Amino acid sequence: MATKAEKIVAGLGGIDNIEEVEGCITRLRTEVKDASLIDEAALKAAGAHGVVKMGTAIQVVIGTDADPIAADIEDMME
């Protein structure tokens, strides 16, 4: 079974599409290479309350576990 972080990575178009990720209170602030790869339905299925897109800057509203999820995604990016 995929972790919440893995599901969010998939919804963001895969680990190779993520350039940067940062936890910010209740949101994951991400910078992606190709915003067309974002799957909002998959992100919401992974537990996101909402998705805010501004070009290649994507904010995934996920609640108070944003920081640990961002840390998990950063570990996957290494």
Side-chain angles (χ1 to χ4, degrees):
M1 186 68 189
T3 67
K4 190 169 186 177
E6 290 168 335
K7 291 176 186 175
I8 289 171
V9 165
L12 290 170
I15 202 73
D16 292 335
N17 194 43
I18 301 170
E19 292 190 335
E20 192 177 310
V21 63
E22 176 186 3
C24 184
I25 306 172
T26 61
R27 296 172 181 232
L28 283 179
R29 295 178 186 266
T30 65
E31 185 71 33
V32 297
K33 294 176 185 166
D34 184 353
S36 71
L37 298 176
I38 303 304
D39 183 343
E40 286 191 48
L43 289 169
K44 288 184 178 172
H49 303 294
V51 179
V52 180
K53 294 199 256 186
M54 297 158 292
T56 57
I58 312 296
Q59 292 184 16
V60 183
V61 182
I62 55 172
T64 55
D65 54 350
D67 285 325
I69 290 174
D72 290 346
I73 294 172
E74 286 173 344
D75 288 346
M76 294 165 67
M77 292 171 70
E78 292 175 354

